[in-house]
Amino acid sequence: MKPATELIDGHYDPKHARNAVKMPLYLSSNYVFSSAEEAKKLFEQKGVQPADQDLAAPQDMIYSRLGHPNLLLAEARLAAYEGAESSLFFESGMAAISTLFMGVLRPGDTVLHSTPLYGGSDHLLRGMMQAWGVHLMEFSSDERVEQIIARIQAADVTPSIRLIYIETPANPNLQIVDFRQIRELSYTIQKLTGHKPLTACDNTVLGPVFQKPLRHGIDVGVYSASKFIGGHSDLIAGALVCSREWANKLRGVRSQFGGTASPHTSWLLTRSMETLELRMEAAQRNAVQLVDFLKNHPQVGQLNYPGLLPPDHPHHHQATGSGSLLSFELVGGQSAAFRFLDALRLVRHAVSLGGTESMACHSSTTTHSNVPPEIRQHYGISEGLIRLSVGIEHVDDLTADLAQALVHAVGAAD
Ligand SMILES: Cc1ncc(COP(=O)(O)O)c(C=O)c1O
């Protein structure tokens, strides 16, 4: 089956559920064992799902924190769509990210990470992970591999680098990290130390439709599935996409921390993924037209959208589209940004992104308010920056709303 068909028909046979066209919602916290021998066998597997599990039949289940039919179906479909061996769903993107960090990192390890990261990931690394003895070292997307290697060698941290964590395009400035550079960085560290750091990419902004990091040699794809995968602003979820070996390890960590996606969340995700390609492509068409409108507008300064990058930029090599998230600076700084947001009538003034409805927010005072001001400045998250997640409404209505809010942004004082 083609990937888009997998998201609709993959891994489910109606005959296992009274011929229901869709897999029903299995609202059961636990499952009856068929025999004592069966229970013993299931516990010996320690939550590791066999590769050939029949996902439609609700046998081989123990307890919903460890696994349940709706979870397995959602996971099988996301993995099939990405062409990956496995995927894991969580109750939030942060549950996926924290499970990854707790599963991979130990005190004394170093995380080499790109900047900027989503505010919550940044906060987790700088706060709790550092407090537990994990060291951080950051790099920017325009640094060359040799420069990064020279810096980590000078700091004497090379042997402790366990994880290279990137976000691309980055939220909210849409900076691109080149996957080829990350592969090279990881192999160079392996040559120097004898161990290869795990590489993980937060792929929330473009994936899985327009970007598939595993195909470019990244080990783990990370998602806030509250965004495009869920797609309707009605659920919070997260996902990791990786090899079967890593999924087995991380599934164990997920069971211990308890962030497993519930039956209801998993059922909604399965519903949402059926229209994932349609939604992301429609939103991208709108975004391209809005970028055209914004790029020559006198109230708009810097406009960040991957589609504006020159044709030889790595973005065009590693992604098949530019998606529907963009950000732009308003002339007039924070007061202009606030006037703009308060004047919006159709576009929702809300955090989050990737829903069917368009949403705008002021990153520096909302999603990235936990990032210290001098670091925000360094990342280019200025006081006039607006992040816009373009939805699938009619583009004429969106253009009209932005146009009238931009008139308000000028304000009396300007
Ligand atoms: C890029 C990115 N990664 C991770 C997260 C965290 O995901 P969640 O809010 O689902 O926990 C977000 C949330 O905004 C995000 O934008």
Side-chain angles (χ1 to χ4, degrees), residues 286-296 303 305 308 326:
N286 279 352
V288 167
Q289 288 201 46
L290 293 183
V291 163
D292 255 4
F293 165 73
L294 290 168
K295 78 179 173 210
N296 298 317
L303 173 59
Y305 181 63
L308 294 173
L326 52 111

Side-chain angles (χ1 to χ4, degrees), residues 148-162:
I148 303 171
I149 294 288
R151 278 201 302 114
I152 60 179
Q153 289 199 293
D156 214 13
V157 294
T158 323
S160 69
I161 295 174
R162 194 74 48 217

Side-chain angles (χ1 to χ4, degrees), residues 91-95 97 117-121 165 167 169-171 202-205 222-227 235-238 352-353 367 387:
E91 270 299 304
S92 70
M94 288 314 298
I97 293 167
L117 296 178
Y118 162 65
S121 312
Y165 187 77
E167 184 176 311
N171 172 12
D202 187 327
N203 195 34
T204 299
V205 171
V222 177
Y223 290 104
S224 166
S226 324
K227 312 297 188 280
L235 65 85
I236 297 288
S352 201
L353 55 104
T367 55
R387 187 186 74 184

Side-chain angles (χ1 to χ4, degrees), residues 190-378:
Q190 182 178 24
K191 256 194 257 156
L192 292 169
T193 64
H195 81 265
K196 190 178 157 307
L198 188 77
T199 52
C201 170
D202 187 327
N203 195 34
T204 299
V205 171
L206 281 186
V209 172
F210 301 123
Q211 185 166 273
K212 298 179 173 63
L214 271 60
R215 297 204 182 157
H216 297 269
I218 302 296
D219 299 308
V220 183
V222 177
Y223 290 104
S224 166
S226 324
K227 312 297 188 280
F228 293 98
I229 295 177
H232 297 72
S233 304
D234 57 6
L235 65 85
I236 297 288
L240 299 176
V241 179
C242 54
S243 66
R244 182 169 298 121
E245 191 186 341
W246 268 105
N248 285 339
K249 281 186 206 161
L250 294 168
R251 190 180 293 110
V253 182
R254 180 182 67 180
S255 297
Q256 291 174 53
F257 282 97
T260 314
S262 71
H264 189 239
T265 301
S266 307
W267 186 91
L268 280 172
L269 286 164
T270 307
R271 175 279 323 247
S272 291
M273 286 193 290
E274 296 195 359
T275 55
L276 181 60
E277 276 197 6
L278 290 179
R279 286 184 283 107
M280 287 192 80
E281 281 165 5
Q284 176 177 246
R285 281 195 296 279
N286 279 352
V288 167
Q289 288 201 46
L290 293 183
V291 163
D292 255 4
F293 165 73
L294 290 168
K295 78 179 173 210
N296 298 317
H297 197 284
Q299 276 308 108
V300 174
Q302 168 85 23
L303 173 59
N304 305 310
Y305 181 63
L308 294 173
L309 294 165
D312 60 347
H313 191 280
H315 164 68
H316 301 290
H317 166 78
Q318 65 193 30
T320 55
S322 295
S324 50
L325 187 71
L326 52 111
S327 61
F328 53 93
E329 287 211 36
L330 283 178
V331 176
Q334 189 183 99
S335 52
F338 280 20
R339 283 193 296 269
F340 172 82
L341 289 168
D342 289 342
L344 288 169
R345 290 181 197 149
L346 175 66
V347 174
R348 309 273 183 229
H349 176 193
V351 295
S352 201
L353 55 104
T356 49
E357 64 289 290
S358 298
M359 287 174 273
C361 71
H362 184 246
S363 301
S364 79
T365 51
T366 59
T367 55
H368 287 72
S369 56
N370 275 329
V371 179
E374 64 286 0
I375 297 177
R376 275 204 306 267
Q377 194 65 27
H378 172 61

